[in-house]
PDB file of all heavy atoms in Angstrom:
ATOM      1  N   THR X 332      13.216   9.197 -17.311  1.00 95.00           N
ATOM      2  CA  THR X 332      12.253   9.473 -18.457  1.00 95.00           C
ATOM      3  C   THR X 332      11.051  10.197 -17.885  1.00 95.00           C
ATOM      4  O   THR X 332      10.467  10.032 -16.857  1.00 95.00           O
ATOM      5  CB  THR X 332      11.729   8.220 -18.949  1.00 95.00           C
ATOM      6  OG1 THR X 332      12.802   7.400 -19.514  1.00 95.00           O
ATOM      7  CG2 THR X 332      10.730   8.526 -20.181  1.00 95.00           C
ATOM      8  N   THR X 333      10.737  11.221 -18.585  1.00 97.00           N
ATOM      9  CA  THR X 333       9.585  12.156 -18.148  1.00 97.00           C
ATOM     10  C   THR X 333       8.786  12.312 -19.462  1.00 97.00           C
ATOM     11  O   THR X 333       9.274  12.212 -20.658  1.00 97.00           O
ATOM     12  CB  THR X 333      10.017  13.413 -17.592  1.00 97.00           C
ATOM     13  OG1 THR X 333      10.822  14.234 -18.587  1.00 97.00           O
ATOM     14  CG2 THR X 333      10.848  13.284 -16.346  1.00 97.00           C
ATOM     15  N   TYR X 334       7.476  12.631 -19.248  1.00 97.00           N
ATOM     16  CA  TYR X 334       6.535  12.909 -20.315  1.00 97.00           C
ATOM     17  C   TYR X 334       5.487  13.988 -19.797  1.00 97.00           C
ATOM     18  O   TYR X 334       5.063  13.940 -18.735  1.00 97.00           O
ATOM     19  CB  TYR X 334       5.915  11.687 -20.780  1.00 97.00           C
ATOM     20  CG  TYR X 334       4.920  11.828 -21.933  1.00 97.00           C
ATOM     21  CD1 TYR X 334       5.397  12.113 -23.164  1.00 97.00           C
ATOM     22  CD2 TYR X 334       3.600  11.615 -21.686  1.00 97.00           C
ATOM     23  CE1 TYR X 334       4.562  12.354 -24.273  1.00 97.00           C
ATOM     24  CE2 TYR X 334       2.568  11.788 -22.762  1.00 97.00           C
ATOM     25  CZ  TYR X 334       3.176  12.100 -23.934  1.00 97.00           C
ATOM     26  OH  TYR X 334       2.340  12.273 -25.065  1.00 97.00           O
ATOM     27  N   TYR X 335       5.178  15.009 -20.702  1.00 98.00           N
ATOM     28  CA  TYR X 335       4.380  15.985 -20.268  1.00 98.00           C
ATOM     29  C   TYR X 335       3.116  16.182 -21.316  1.00 98.00           C
ATOM     30  O   TYR X 335       3.295  15.843 -22.416  1.00 98.00           O
ATOM     31  CB  TYR X 335       5.100  17.345 -20.231  1.00 98.00           C
ATOM     32  CG  TYR X 335       6.187  17.451 -19.317  1.00 98.00           C
ATOM     33  CD1 TYR X 335       7.478  16.956 -19.660  1.00 98.00           C
ATOM     34  CD2 TYR X 335       5.998  17.818 -17.956  1.00 98.00           C
ATOM     35  CE1 TYR X 335       8.519  16.983 -18.853  1.00 98.00           C
ATOM     36  CE2 TYR X 335       7.042  17.776 -17.118  1.00 98.00           C
ATOM     37  CZ  TYR X 335       8.372  17.355 -17.592  1.00 98.00           C
ATOM     38  OH  TYR X 335       9.374  17.332 -16.610  1.00 98.00           O
ATOM     39  N   ALA X 336       2.045  16.709 -20.717  1.00 98.00           N
ATOM     40  CA  ALA X 336       0.971  17.123 -21.548  1.00 98.00           C
ATOM     41  C   ALA X 336       1.413  18.314 -22.444  1.00 98.00           C
ATOM     42  O   ALA X 336       2.230  19.171 -21.866  1.00 98.00           O
ATOM     43  CB  ALA X 336      -0.197  17.448 -20.764  1.00 98.00           C
ATOM     44  N   ASP X 337       0.977  18.401 -23.619  1.00 98.00           N
ATOM     45  CA  ASP X 337       1.354  19.504 -24.353  1.00 98.00           C
ATOM     46  C   ASP X 337       0.977  20.860 -23.862  1.00 98.00           C
ATOM     47  O   ASP X 337       1.893  21.868 -24.008  1.00 98.00           O
ATOM     48  CB  ASP X 337       0.723  19.448 -25.835  1.00 98.00           C
ATOM     49  CG  ASP X 337       1.120  18.423 -26.654  1.00 98.00           C
ATOM     50  OD1 ASP X 337       2.169  17.821 -26.355  1.00 98.00           O
ATOM     51  OD2 ASP X 337       0.303  17.931 -27.588  1.00 98.00           O
ATOM     52  N   SER X 338       0.013  20.913 -22.994  1.00 97.00           N
ATOM     53  CA  SER X 338      -0.485  22.268 -22.412  1.00 97.00           C
ATOM     54  C   SER X 338       0.513  22.831 -21.404  1.00 97.00           C
ATOM     55  O   SER X 338       0.482  23.923 -21.117  1.00 97.00           O
ATOM     56  CB  SER X 338      -1.841  22.015 -21.886  1.00 97.00           C
ATOM     57  OG  SER X 338      -1.831  21.088 -20.720  1.00 97.00           O
ATOM     58  N   VAL X 339       1.362  21.982 -20.924  1.00 98.00           N
ATOM     59  CA  VAL X 339       2.198  22.235 -19.783  1.00 98.00           C
ATOM     60  C   VAL X 339       3.750  22.194 -20.258  1.00 98.00           C
ATOM     61  O   VAL X 339       4.661  22.512 -19.447  1.00 98.00           O
ATOM     62  CB  VAL X 339       1.982  21.546 -18.413  1.00 98.00           C
ATOM     63  CG1 VAL X 339       0.616  21.707 -18.143  1.00 98.00           C
ATOM     64  CG2 VAL X 339       2.530  20.024 -18.592  1.00 98.00           C
ATOM     65  N   LYS X 340       3.959  21.499 -21.294  1.00 97.00           N
ATOM     66  CA  LYS X 340       5.351  21.252 -21.825  1.00 97.00           C
ATOM     67  C   LYS X 340       6.231  22.603 -21.988  1.00 97.00           C
ATOM     68  O   LYS X 340       5.683  23.626 -22.321  1.00 97.00           O
ATOM     69  CB  LYS X 340       5.365  20.607 -23.177  1.00 97.00           C
ATOM     70  CG  LYS X 340       6.645  20.061 -23.560  1.00 97.00           C
ATOM     71  CD  LYS X 340       6.432  19.265 -24.912  1.00 97.00           C
ATOM     72  CE  LYS X 340       5.343  18.154 -24.830  1.00 97.00           C
ATOM     73  NZ  LYS X 340       5.235  17.525 -26.056  1.00 97.00           N
TER      74      LYS X 340
END
Side-chain angles (χ1 to χ4, degrees):
T332 303
T333 58
Y334 180 68
Y335 299 91
D337 288 344
S338 59
V339 306
K340 197 176 298 182

